[in-house]
Amino acid sequence: SQSIMDKHLLRRRTRFTDVEIDHLQASWLHMCGVFETMERLESAKFTRHAIRRMWAKFDNLAELLMTNPWRLLELPSVTLEQVDHLAIRFAVPLTSPFRTKGIMLATLRQGALSGHVFLPTEEIVPKVLGSMDSLNSKDITTALIESQQENLLVLDHKTKPGLLAVYTPWLYSVETISARMLLERLKMTQVPLITLERAEDGRPTKDMPTTPEGWR
């Protein structure tokens, strides 16, 4: 084969061992894959900075693009349109269940840009169904559960009774830590209960601090 002929040629012209030659060939093939991947990413209008972030997060980026490019939606500024374009270029079907999870991530990100820490499933499900009419509610439920198992999102029943809240892991962490810190501060306060009750009514009391020092 050409590979064996190259080995013989390299062995005659250099002092490389077979192990070193195999390593050089594997490295060369890897770099060819890297350059081809970068060319396709640039054709999808990704910036060099965004591409570097992809390589930093995903060690198997070249393989990922051929199987589940929607994982790129875990990165900021990546849009569903860009990833769909990549999927078409890499012949990944848009009916893939991976795309369902990608649409969920894109919907949560759009909600965060609008100021929402989480979204109820009642808002996410129509978005997914509107983009993939071949799905049903059971498919989406499966995708939600699998996404939580893969740590792509968090499902929470405690946020509001009767509501299933869907968070990104980062925003869920931010909200739970903030709530815990507020509760700790509330427990540490020495403000009399009567003051808190009157404060809820908006009525001033003599117990209310009137200076910054008092509030500290």
Side-chain angles (χ1 to χ4, degrees), residues 42-214:
E42 288 178 347
S43 71
K45 309 303 180 183
F46 287 105
T47 64
R48 289 290 180 93
H49 176 69
I51 296 173
R52 284 196 294 269
R53 296 187 68 171
M54 294 174 192
W55 282 111
K57 182 174 179 62
F58 303 108
D59 295 331
N60 59 337
L61 180 60
E63 179 184 349
L64 188 73
L65 293 176
M66 293 185 289
T67 55
N68 182 13
W70 293 279
R71 284 288 305 276
L72 297 181
L73 289 167
E74 297 175 32
L75 298 170
S77 74
V78 177
T79 67
L80 181 63
E81 290 75 15
Q82 287 176 307
V83 179
D84 283 348
H85 176 73
L86 277 178
I88 294 170
R89 286 184 63 88
F90 283 93
V92 183
L94 297 183
T95 55
S96 167
F98 292 129
R99 186 169 184 261
T100 306
K101 300 174 184 178
I103 294 172
M104 292 177 181
L105 293 176
T107 303
L108 287 174
R109 177 175 300 156
Q110 188 60 44
L113 292 175
S114 300
H116 300 295
V117 179
F118 70 89
L119 289 178
T121 51
E122 288 79 3
E123 292 190 31
I124 291 181
V125 171
K127 290 281 188 181
V128 179
L129 290 176
S131 301
M132 299 183 70
D133 52 11
S134 60
L135 297 178
N136 56 45
S137 298
K138 184 178 179 181
D139 296 327
I140 298 176
T141 299
T142 300
L144 282 167
I145 295 172
E146 290 180 354
S147 295
Q148 177 168 248
Q149 293 170 344
E150 296 165 9
N151 198 35
L152 297 177
L153 51 80
V154 177
L155 304 177
D156 185 84
H157 293 274
K158 299 178 181 179
T159 302
K160 187 176 180 181
L163 179 145
L164 180 58
V166 186
Y167 292 83
T168 61
W170 181 76
L171 283 177
Y172 180 77
S173 175
V174 168
E175 184 159 86
T176 51
I177 291 174
S178 299
R180 185 173 68 246
M181 292 175 66
L182 287 170
L183 182 60
E184 289 172 354
R185 299 200 67 169
L186 180 62
K187 290 178 179 178
M188 293 171 59
T189 184
Q190 300 299 317
V191 180
L193 181 59
I194 185 64
T195 301
L196 293 177
E197 290 174 345
R198 292 179 180 175
E200 289 178 356
D201 296 333
R203 290 179 294 162
T205 73
K206 63 180 180 180
D207 299 321
M208 282 284 227
T210 57
T211 64
E213 290 73 18

